[in-house]
Amino acid sequence: MIMNADGSEQRLLADHALDSGYPRWFPDGKRLAFHARIDGQEWQVFTVRVDGSDLRQVTRGFAYIFEGTPSPDGLQLAMIGRRDSDPEGATHLYVLDLANERSVRITSDHSRKYHPNWSPDGSRIAYGAQSLEGNFEIFTIDAGGGLPERITHDITWDRMQPSWSRDGRGIAHTCSDEAG
């Protein structure tokens, strides 16, 4: 659904057959990305114009994929997903090129990952992931792949939902003491 900021003019953007979540605006304000499943099939990522036209499934071949987050230039999506060949419970961070709908896996470890968020310049992606100690920490990685950098180190807290500051010099995140 989409609506005005005051709650007025609520309208559906996609058919009720879609079970959907995690809507994210493209930087141009004209489209949304979201994950959904159609008729009970596996979760995939879709895009749609804010007037409800041009609904497109942009991912295929995943056991499930979710949390499609547009890059600052609107040309790519950062997504969390799993292919059938991945170990149960493992997820990876993927970057999807919207022009050709090809995705590249940019993480290699088999931890659970959540909430990808692009840096303002589009060069890095922050995300929450399960650490070797079993709790969730914040990591960053180059948008083209490479070695992730763990930027939080406190096993008494679960840390999720990273959000970059506008200037890219800070990252806010949620905390929960459920780990400790």
Side-chain angles (χ1 to χ4, degrees), residues 21-163:
Y22 205 78
R24 294 291 177 253
W25 290 94
F26 276 82
D28 64 7
K30 297 178 182 177
R31 295 180 296 155
L32 291 165
F34 60 97
H35 64 250
R37 58 183 175 182
I38 301 172
D39 299 326
Q41 295 180 19
E42 296 301 330
W43 293 98
Q44 298 296 324
V45 174
F46 293 77
T47 62
V48 66
R49 292 190 180 279
V50 296
D51 66 3
S53 67
D54 196 25
L55 176 66
R56 294 184 356 190
Q57 180 179 340
V58 296
T59 58
R60 288 166 182 74
F62 288 91
Y64 60 84
I65 189 104
F66 52 100
E67 298 188 37
T69 304
S71 60
D73 63 10
L75 300 176
Q76 300 174 303
L77 295 176
M79 309 173 301
I80 303 296
R82 186 174 88 68
R83 296 203 184 264
D84 287 331
S85 59
D86 291 329
E88 187 62 36
T91 56
H92 291 286
L93 180 58
Y94 291 86
V95 172
L96 175 80
D97 181 326
L98 287 163
N100 61 24
E101 296 183 0
R102 290 196 182 124
S103 60
V104 175
R105 188 175 85 183
I106 65 169
T107 56
S108 58
D109 66 290
H110 294 299
S111 65
R112 291 187 297 162
K113 296 164 190 67
Y114 297 94
H115 312 298
N117 192 288
W118 293 87
S119 63
D121 67 2
S123 67
R124 296 190 64 76
I125 300 170
Y127 61 96
Q130 193 167 24
S131 69
L132 294 174
E133 295 86 5
N135 66 312
F136 288 89
E137 297 287 349
I138 303 298
F139 293 77
T140 64
I141 191 168
D142 286 338
L147 292 174
E149 180 183 355
R150 181 175 169 178
I151 61 171
T152 58
H153 299 275
D154 182 355
I155 63 170
T156 61
W157 294 89
D158 274 339
R159 298 163 187 274
M160 301 290 281
Q161 300 174 333
S163 177

